[in-house]
Amino acid sequence: MKTLIRLLTLVVGSALIFPIASFAAQFDAPYYEFQKKHGAEWAKEDKAIDAKLAALEKKFGKKPNIVYILVDDIGHGELGVQGGGASRGAPTPQLDRMAHEGVMLNGFYSEPSCTPTRTALMTGRHPVRTGLTDVIFPGNPAGLHPEEITLGELLSEAGYTTAMFGKWHLGEGEETWPHNQGFDEALFGLYNAAPWAWNTKGDKNFWNNEKTPEFFTRYKLNGLMEAKKGEKAREVAPLNLKTYTTVEEETFKRSVDFIKRNAESEKPFFLYYASHFVSMFTSHPDWAGKSAQGTHSGDQFMEHDHYVGQLLKTIKDLGIAENTLVVWMSDNGPMYDFFPESSSSAYTGGKGDVLEGGVHVPAIAWWPGMIEPNRISAELLQVTDMYTTAARLGGAMSKLPNDRVIDGIEQSSYLMAVTPSRREYIFHYSGANLGAIRVGQYKRHLAAAHGGLPGKDFYDIYKDPKEEHGVMAEMLWAWVPFDDFARMHNELIEKFPHRKPYKSVIEE
C-alpha cells in the first residue's frame, strides 16, 4: 500500500506539465511524473544499455534483429512453465525451453481483443487514439489509418529489412495492408478464422450456414494474400477450411526463409510473425489429434510450439542469436465462445474483457547473451511497450512522432539489465471507453456509481488476481488519486484528440 501511496502522490494535484525528455516523442501524462521520480536512475540505466548495444553493433556490424511472434487467443497459464502444457493435455516443450533460456514475462498485458492489440503493437498507441477500436469482420470499412506510423515504417526508415507473415486483421482496404504500411514483404490473412469457417467455396461448411441469405454473404472475402512493398497484392490461396489447415505451416516457412535470406545482410531485419493460431477451426493433418485438448488450444498450439522451436533453432544455427531479440506474446485471453475448444486462463474473464483473463496474457523474451536466462518477472509491461522498445533497439527513438501520444514505454533496460520495469500504470480500454486503471498492484474498474457512492471496484491484483473480492471502504483513500490519473490522461486527450475512425477503400 505504501508503494501505491508514493506513486499516486506524484500526480495528485499536479499541473499538466511535460518536461523536455531526451527525445521529442510525446508520451502519456503520468509517464512524466514517474520520470521526475526516476529520471536520474533511468539515465544511468540508459548509459549502460547504450554501451552494451554499441558493443553489440561493433561485433555484428549492424543494429540487432527483432522478431515479434504474436499468437491468437492464448490465456495466461497455458504454457507448461505456467502450470499448463502437458498437465492440460497439450505439451509446450519449445516455448518452455524459450522461457528457460530467456525471461518469462508474467506481468505482460495486451488489449482485450485481436484487432486492438495488433493496432497497439503496430503503433505503440492505445487503439482508441487511432480510431480503430473494434474487431474487424468482413464488410466493415474500418482500417488502420494511413497516417499512423507502424513498426514496419519506423524500422524501415531506420534501415531495417521488414516482413510480416500471418494474421494482419487491420483492415480490408489495400491501403491498410502490411505492404502499404511499411513492410517490404508480406504473406497475410485479413481476418480472424471465422470467414474461413463459413466461406466454403465447395467445401463442407464448419457451421450450418448453407442457407444463409445472400445479403449476409455478399462481401468480397480475400484468402491468403501475398505482396511486396510498392506492388499490388495477389491472392495465393482461397479462403476455406481445407486451405486453412496449412496456413500456419506456410507462415512458419516464410518466416524461416526470411531469416535465412537476411541473416548475413548488412541490414538488420524486423520480422512480425503473427500466428493464425489458436482461433482456427481445423488442424493440420500432421497434428490433428495430437493433444488431449482438441483442435484449438491443443493440436494447433502444439503445432505452433513446434514451429517456434524450429525458428529459434534456425537463429542459433545461423550464428545470429546474440544479435536477435525474439518476443513471443498472446494478443488477448481465451475466446470462450469456442468452449470447449478454446484456450483457458488462470484468471477471471476472457477475450473482450478488461478483467485479468482478457488482458493478462503469457509472453516470453529471448535473446541469448543479452537477456539473463532462467528469469521470471511479474513487472508490468503492456503491448504498446514493444513498439517503443523496438524503436530504441533499432536506433529510431528520434523518429518517433511528436504530434500524437505514444503510450508505449521503452523497456530495453528492463529486458537486458534486470532493472525494474518503467511501467507503473496501465490504462485498460474496453473499445472506445476507459474500462479500468492499474497503478502498482491495485486496479480500479470504472463501473457506474451506486446512488452517488462508488461501487466495490478496487482490487489488489497480487492478493486477488481473479478479481473476485472488490472493495470500496478500505480503498477510499485511493479514489481521488485514481480520478486524478484519469484526469491527467483525459486532459492530454484534449490536447491530442483521438483520430476519427478511418474508412478504408474496399474494392467490390
Side-chain angles (χ1 to χ4, degrees):
M1 184 176 293
K2 290 182 179 178
T3 300
L4 181 60
I5 293 173
R6 288 196 297 269
L7 295 178
L8 294 179
T9 300
L10 289 170
V11 297
V12 176
S14 296
L16 203 58
I17 299 174
F18 311 117
I20 297 175
S22 57
F23 26 79
Q26 173 65 61
F27 299 106
D28 203 359
Y31 168 83
Y32 296 99
E33 300 300 330
F34 291 113
Q35 186 188 57
K36 291 176 186 177
K37 178 182 177 183
H38 301 295
E41 181 183 352
W42 289 355
K44 291 180 181 178
E45 295 170 359
D46 288 342
K47 187 176 180 179
I49 292 300
D50 286 342
K52 199 170 184 178
L53 290 173
L56 190 70
E57 187 169 358
K58 182 178 181 180
K59 180 177 180 178
F60 286 91
K62 57 185 176 182
K63 300 290 185 185
N65 307 309
I66 301 170
V67 178
Y68 283 169
I69 305 174
L70 187 67
V71 70
D72 208 29
D73 296 0
I74 288 292
H76 188 101
E78 285 286 46
L79 302 183
V81 289
Q82 292 181 322
S87 68
R88 291 252 301 126
T92 57
Q94 304 305 325
L95 286 164
D96 295 347
R97 181 178 294 109
M98 181 183 183
H100 288 307
E101 293 178 356
V103 54
M104 188 76 222
L105 302 172
N106 278 345
F108 192 93
Y109 285 81
S110 67
E111 299 290 334
S113 57
C114 41
T115 295
T117 289
R118 283 159 172 73
T119 303
L121 178 62
M122 284 295 100
T123 67
R125 288 152 49 81
H126 288 310
V128 66
R129 300 191 192 277
T130 73
L132 186 56
T133 61
D134 301 318
V135 176
I136 296 174
F137 293 102
N140 186 341
L144 184 64
H145 200 292
E147 292 184 10
E148 290 294 331
I149 298 176
T150 70
L151 259 181
E153 292 169 314
L154 190 72
L155 293 177
S156 287
E157 189 176 346
Y160 276 68
T161 300
T162 59
M164 184 276 156
F165 304 125
K167 177 182 171 182
W168 181 240
H169 212 175
L170 291 175
E172 282 194 42
E174 188 160 354
E175 75 279 13
T176 70
W177 295 357
H179 65 296
N180 289 319
Q181 293 283 353
F183 290 95
D184 295 318
E185 57 184 282
L187 179 79
F188 58 99
L190 296 182
Y191 321 101
N192 62 8
W196 297 76
W198 53 262
N199 184 69
T200 63
K201 291 190 176 180
D203 292 334
K204 181 176 174 57
N205 203 305
F206 183 83
W207 287 307
N208 185 27
N209 292 337
E210 285 85 351
K211 296 182 180 180
T212 300
E214 186 275 335
F215 177 83
F216 293 101
T217 58
R218 72 188 188 280
Y219 310 117
K220 175 185 177 182
L221 297 174
N222 297 95
L224 191 63
M225 308 296 294
E226 183 177 39
K228 291 185 178 181
K229 187 181 293 184
E231 298 180 2
K232 189 172 181 61
R234 65 188 184 91
E235 185 178 280
V236 294
L239 189 152
N240 59 54
L241 288 180
K242 183 177 180 180
T243 59
Y244 213 33
T245 63
T246 58
V247 165
E248 185 71 6
E249 181 180 39
E250 185 60 30
T251 301
F252 158 71
K253 288 180 178 179
R254 291 293 184 102
S255 297
V256 168
D257 176 67
F258 174 79
I259 292 171
K260 289 180 177 178
R261 285 189 282 114
N262 289 279
E264 300 299 325
S265 171
E266 294 181 356
K267 297 173 63 175
F269 64 78
F270 169 55
L271 168 62
Y272 175 33
Y273 171 8
S275 172
H276 282 83
F277 284 172
V278 299
S279 63
M280 290 168 59
F281 297 88
T282 185
S283 301
H284 188 290
D286 293 345
W287 291 90
K290 292 291 186 181
S291 81
Q293 278 199 46
T295 299
H296 278 67
S297 58
D299 301 347
Q300 292 176 14
F301 200 29
M302 288 179 65
E303 182 182 352
H304 175 74
D305 176 81
H306 171 73
Y307 294 149
V308 171
Q310 291 299 303
L311 187 144
L312 298 183
K313 183 178 183 301
T314 298
I315 291 172
K316 289 179 180 178
D317 291 346
L318 291 169
I320 61 172
E322 188 183 354
N323 201 42
T324 305
L325 167 66
V326 182
V327 179
W328 179 93
M329 52 198 145
S330 177
D331 67 346
N332 47 249
M335 180 68 167
Y336 284 123
D337 190 52
F338 297 152
F339 185 84
E341 289 283 341
S342 67
S343 171
S344 66
S345 174
Y347 303 118
T348 303
K351 184 171 183 173
D353 297 325
V354 296
L355 290 164
E356 294 293 288
V359 293
H360 193 167
V361 296
I364 305 168
W366 180 91
W367 195 354
M370 301 298 285
I371 287 180
E372 183 178 304
N374 290 306
R375 180 175 153 215
I376 298 175
S377 175
E379 297 268 338
L380 292 183
L381 290 173
Q382 210 267 346
V383 65
T384 54
D385 297 347
M386 296 299 96
Y387 179 92
T388 320
T389 301
R392 168 69 186 285
L393 297 176
M397 288 297 284
S398 63
K399 301 180 186 299
L400 292 176
N402 60 10
D403 63 344
R404 65 201 71 180
V405 175
I406 300 294
D407 294 291
I409 296 175
E410 199 276 304
Q411 298 281 14
S412 58
S413 181
Y414 164 65
L415 294 177
M416 297 167 60
V418 201
T419 58
S421 167
R422 296 185 180 183
R423 177 171 292 282
E424 300 181 70
Y425 66 91
I426 299 177
F427 291 104
H428 292 293
Y429 270 88
S430 178
N433 301 310
L434 185 57
I437 302 174
R438 172 81 178 267
V439 183
Q441 72 194 73
Y442 293 94
K443 183 176 178 181
R444 175 185 168 188
H445 287 265
L446 302 180
H450 305 279
L453 285 174
K456 296 180 178 180
D457 299 318
F458 270 100
Y459 299 87
D460 182 334
I461 298 302
Y462 288 173
K463 295 180 179 179
D464 183 20
K466 291 189 175 182
E467 296 162 286
E468 295 175 327
H469 307 286
V471 296
M472 178 186 73
E474 66 186 76
M475 292 294 292
L476 287 181
W477 59 271
W479 207 270
V480 172
F482 265 81
D483 284 344
D484 205 69
F485 251 72
R487 174 188 61 78
M488 295 177 69
H489 177 73
N490 290 330
E491 285 180 6
L492 195 56
I493 292 172
E494 293 177 9
K495 184 176 180 180
F496 296 93
H498 299 328
R499 290 194 190 279
K500 293 181 179 180
Y502 175 73
K503 291 185 178 181
S504 58
V505 179
I506 302 176
E507 297 181 2
E508 295 296 333

